[in-house]
Every structure is written in C-alpha cells, then in structure tokens.
C-alpha cells in the first residue's frame, strides 16, 4: 500500500467527520499517512479539525492531520483531492432558495434556478483547485462532492486534463433500496442505472439474471426519499410511465407545483434549517469529550457520503474492479448522448481508472428526452460558469424544463447575479 496524502478542500464542513469515518473503516486497505484539511474559514476549521484529530486518536489511527487555509500547501503532492466546498456558505444557499420563489420558480440548491446559481459560484473555485492540481499534483484524482456535482464535472472534464470523478450520495441510497427489494437469499443482485446527477433512474433490478423491476412496480415499492426533499407518493401509473425507479430529485419534475407550493408555505427554507443544524453541530463538535460522529449529523442529509467517496478511492487504489455509479464523460456508454456529455452511470473502477459501462438496447424515450433537455441546460450553464457569458446563462434558464419562461427567467437571473456579485468574478470582470 502507498502512504497516501489526502487533501480535503472545504474541510470546515460539518460533513468532514463522516468522511474521516470512511477512512477509519477502510484502514486495512488504505494507508493514509496524512490528511490535509483546508478551509478559508479558520474558526470552523479549528473546530472540525480538532474533532477529526480526536476521532482518529480514539480509533488508534496514526495519521498526521494538518489544518491550513493555503490551497497550495494542501494540494502539493496529494494523491487524492476531495472537494466539498460551499461558496458563499449557507447564506448564499438561502438566497438561492428564496429569490426564485418570488417568480414562482423552484428554489433548490442543486436543481432549477437555485442549482444554476450555485454552479455559477462553484465552478470558478473548482477550476482554481484544478489549476493548482495541474501544477502541484498532476497525477492526483479530484473527487468532487460540491453541488451541483454533475454540472461541475461537465465543466472540469471538458476543460482540463485532471483525473476527476463527480460523486453524489443519492445513487448509493437508491442502490441500497434496490438491493433490499431482492430476497435476502437471492444471489447475483445487479441493477441498471442511467441519468445525470440528480436526474437519474434505476431501470433494472436483477435477481439471478432476471429483471424483476416490472413485478416490483406492479406489487408496489417502498422508496426512501432523501432527507432534504419533500416526500411525494410515487404511484404505480407514474412508475410504469417512467419505466424506472426515479431519484428523489425527480419529485421536482413530476410534482413541480406541489413542490413549489411546499417551499412557499414552509416556515423555513431547507437552507435555514441546515444553518440551524450546522450551528448545533458545531456546538457539539466543540465539546472536547466528543470523539465520534454525532447522530445529529444524519439530519444534515449526507448519508452514505463517506461510503461513496472512500469506497471509490479504495477501488482505484487497490485495483478492485468494482462497479460504482460516478459522474464521468459518457464516451459511448449511453449511445443517445454525446461522448463528451458528463453522465451519471455505472462504471468499472480499477487502478487504471474509471470506465463507464455501455448500456445496450435502451429505448426509454421519456428518460432520453428529459436527459437531453437537461444536458442542453448543463452545457450552457457550464459555459456561463466558466466564462461569465450572460447570453449562455439566460439560454440555460430558458432551456431548463423547470424554468423556460422569459418574463420570469430574465429578471430572476438579473436579481440572482446581483445578489451573488462578490462570488461571480467571471460575470464582473474589471
């Protein structure tokens, strides 16, 4: 095993203990010599970093922890760079949620107008990380969790030579649910997974080589809704029409009016709830007697975060030839998408890299149509995030299936750009 240097960018996040737990679980297969925790928020970094040290010490894991606000120091010679940055913190998220609601549009941090604005803030920062990696750790993998993960990967993978994987905990949860639908004594569970980040479906559930998804849909499904999304009943006619088990984020498409009304009627936005949770978590983290990830962290919505990230590193580092769902360039995996489209698909992962698995005979035109529409949005949004092209930004909102209305899209875009001015150097060049 190599002695690994792991760099965590945005390490002041309250999710960091979840990530550290993943490395502890896999200590027998991953020799982590040092973890560099980098964040520009020094107070949060101090609190989270101290808890990280206590957790590692309690588990007798001799791993050097370095806390820094210097990106170059963190990345220099790293083997894996994990990004969980939140540009503008939760206050920017709350703005993303509230402004669109004024225009009867969805306010959500990864989907629709809110997700668009989060991408505009995030892409320049991620590209700065990428350029630093190109200089100081050109052989490292960038594993990005910063949302919107797929759109960020679209920008990076088509504009740099860095090895990069976009990750999300949503596929892990979906596959876990699908596995639970198969009898415990059935071997050879498998699945088909297709989509974009936060726009995805499981279109096959296999037991002993047989696709049992049609029978499962007929008999009724128990599907877990992500904690940050308003639950909606997925009735049999909907599941039969879609031809797959949708990610929780499809609730915003299939039940858009109900979701917007819920957001309008809610006493607090999800961002405001998360801000309160973060404050409570940081108060817990400050307790020098705390040496474990607290149960409260599960309410933050990051279940399976460490599972997705650290198991992927394990597969890369130890040549495991495992299958993981990752955001990568399509490269022919989905024949109906372009090769350079970043898609969220099942991939074979080993020491040589991450390779999307080709899906044969896929003819679900509802899924194909929606994927193509949202990919058109993502390509325009990536261009806007990289260059500050206002026309591309407006075009992105006009083509998005959840937006489209010019008389709402333009004033909403203008208001959001102004509200985020200090985080958007590409739009406000001197």
């Amino acid at each position: 095993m190599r002695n690994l240097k792991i760099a965590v960018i945005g390490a002041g996040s309250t999710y960091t203990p979840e990530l550290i737990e993943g490395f502890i679980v896999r200590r027998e297969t991953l020799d982590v010599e040092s973890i560099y925790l980098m964040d520009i928020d020094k107070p949060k970094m101090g609190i989270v970093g101290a808890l990280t040290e206590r957790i590692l010490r309690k588990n007798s894991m001799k791993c050097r922890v370095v806390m820094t606000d210097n990106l170059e120091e963190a990345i220099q010679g790293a083997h894996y760079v994990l990004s969980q940055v939140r540009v503008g913190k939760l206050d920017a998220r709350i703005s993303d949620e509230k402004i669109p609601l004024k225009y009867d549009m969805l306010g959500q941090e990864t989907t629709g107008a809110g997700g668009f604005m989060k991408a505009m803030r995030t892409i320049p920062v991620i590209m700065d990380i990428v350029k630093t990696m190109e200089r100081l750790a050109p052989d490292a993998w960038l594993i990005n969790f910063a949302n919107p993960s797929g759109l960020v990967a679209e920008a990076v993978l088509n504009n740099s030579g860095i090895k990069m994987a976009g990750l999300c905990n949503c596929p892990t949860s979906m596959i876990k649910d699908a596995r639970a639908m198969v009898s415990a004594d059935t071997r050879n569970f498998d699945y088909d997974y297709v989509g974009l980040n936060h726009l995805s479906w499981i279109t096959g559930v296999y037991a002993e080589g047989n696709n049992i998804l049609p029978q499962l849909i007929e008999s009724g499904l128990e599907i877990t809704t992500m904690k940050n999304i308003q639950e909606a009943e997925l009735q049999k006619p909907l599941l039969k029409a879609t031809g797959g088990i949708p990610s929780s984020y499809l609730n915003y498409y299939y039940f858009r009016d109900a979701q917007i009304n819920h957001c309008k009627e809610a006493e607090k936005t999800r961002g405001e709830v998360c801000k309160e949770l973060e404050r409570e978590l940081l108060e817990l983290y400050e307790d020098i007697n705390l040496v474990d990830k607290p149960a409260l962290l599960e309410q933050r919505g990051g279940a399976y975060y460490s599972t997705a990230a650290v198991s992927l590193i394990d597969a890369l580092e130890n040549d495991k030839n495992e299958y993981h769902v990752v955001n990568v360039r399509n490269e022919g995996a989905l024949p109906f998408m372009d090769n350079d489209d970043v898609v969220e698909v099942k991939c074979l992962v080993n020491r040589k890299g991450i390779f999307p698995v080709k899906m044969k005979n896929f003819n679900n035109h509802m899924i194909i149509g929606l994927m193509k529409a949202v990919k058109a949005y993502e390509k325009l949004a990536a261009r806007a995030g990289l260059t500050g092209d206002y026309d591309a930004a407006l075009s992105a909102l006009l083509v998005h299936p959840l937006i489209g209305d010019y008389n709402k899209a333009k004033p909403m875009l203008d208001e959001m750009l102004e509200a985020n001015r200090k985080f958007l150097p590409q739009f406000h060049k001197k």
Side-chain angles (χ1 to χ4, degrees), residues 224-245:
T224 304
T225 302
M226 302 293 284
K227 289 183 182 294
N228 58 327
I229 298 173
Q230 175 67 12
E231 197 166 348
E233 183 183 356
L234 299 179
Q235 298 178 5
K236 188 189 299 184
L238 170 62
L239 294 173
K240 291 177 73 172
T242 61
I245 303 171

Side-chain angles (χ1 to χ4, degrees), residues 26 37 123 193 206 223 253 347 378 391:
R26 289 168 180 79
L37 303 176
I123 287 173
Y193 185 104
Y206 296 89
I223 301 170
Y253 291 80
C347 297
E378 287 191 346
D391 292 339

Side-chain angles (χ1 to χ4, degrees), residues 373-399:
V374 175
K375 179 49 65 177
Y377 151 77
E378 287 191 346
K379 284 189 169 295
L380 287 162
R383 186 195 308 168
L386 288 163
T387 67
D389 184 335
Y390 180 88
D391 292 339
L394 183 55
S395 294
L397 298 188
L398 291 174
V399 79

Side-chain angles (χ1 to χ4, degrees), residues 213-321:
L213 182 58
Q215 298 96 291
L216 291 171
I217 289 175
E218 283 293 338
S219 61
L221 294 173
E222 289 292 329
I223 301 170
T224 304
T225 302
M226 302 293 284
K227 289 183 182 294
N228 58 327
I229 298 173
Q230 175 67 12
E231 197 166 348
E233 183 183 356
L234 299 179
Q235 298 178 5
K236 188 189 299 184
L238 170 62
L239 294 173
K240 291 177 73 172
T242 61
I245 303 171
S247 124
S248 298
Y249 290 88
L250 266 299
N251 288 1
Y252 294 121
Y253 291 80
Y254 298 150
F255 309 102
R256 65 182 69 184
D257 288 346
Q259 292 288 336
I260 291 171
N261 288 336
H262 169 76
C263 291
K264 282 185 166 184
E265 294 167 2
E267 183 179 341
K268 297 173 183 174
T269 69
R270 176 64 185 173
E272 288 170 322
V273 171
C274 288
K275 192 172 181 178
E276 292 179 0
L277 279 171
E278 182 180 80
R279 186 178 63 250
E280 292 178 45
L281 283 166
L282 290 172
E283 288 176 359
L284 289 174
Y285 290 6
E286 285 186 291
D287 182 356
I288 61 173
N289 296 309
L290 181 69
V291 293
D292 294 293
K293 178 188 73 175
L296 182 64
L297 184 57
E298 295 177 10
Q299 295 183 31
R300 187 66 179 80
Y304 314 120
Y305 171 29
S306 66
T307 301
V310 185
S311 63
L312 181 70
I313 293 173
D314 195 6
L316 286 165
E317 192 66 19
N318 293 300
D319 203 25
K320 287 198 165 181
N321 278 315

Side-chain angles (χ1 to χ4, degrees), residues 194-207:
V194 61
L196 310 175
N197 180 235
H198 290 182
L199 191 95
S200 59
W201 299 259
I202 287 178
T203 56
V205 177
Y206 296 89

Side-chain angles (χ1 to χ4, degrees), residues 26-60:
R26 289 168 180 79
R27 63 194 301 173
E28 298 301 319
T29 55
L30 293 173
D31 183 9
V32 180
E33 188 276 330
S34 63
I35 298 178
Y36 278 66
L37 303 176
M38 183 270 164
D39 205 297
I40 58 174
D41 188 329
K42 289 185 179 181
K44 281 181 66 179
M45 184 70 272
I47 294 168
V48 176
L51 175 59
T52 296
E53 291 177 324
R54 294 196 301 273
I55 293 173
L56 291 169
R57 189 163 57 245
K58 180 221 176 179
N59 288 276
S60 302

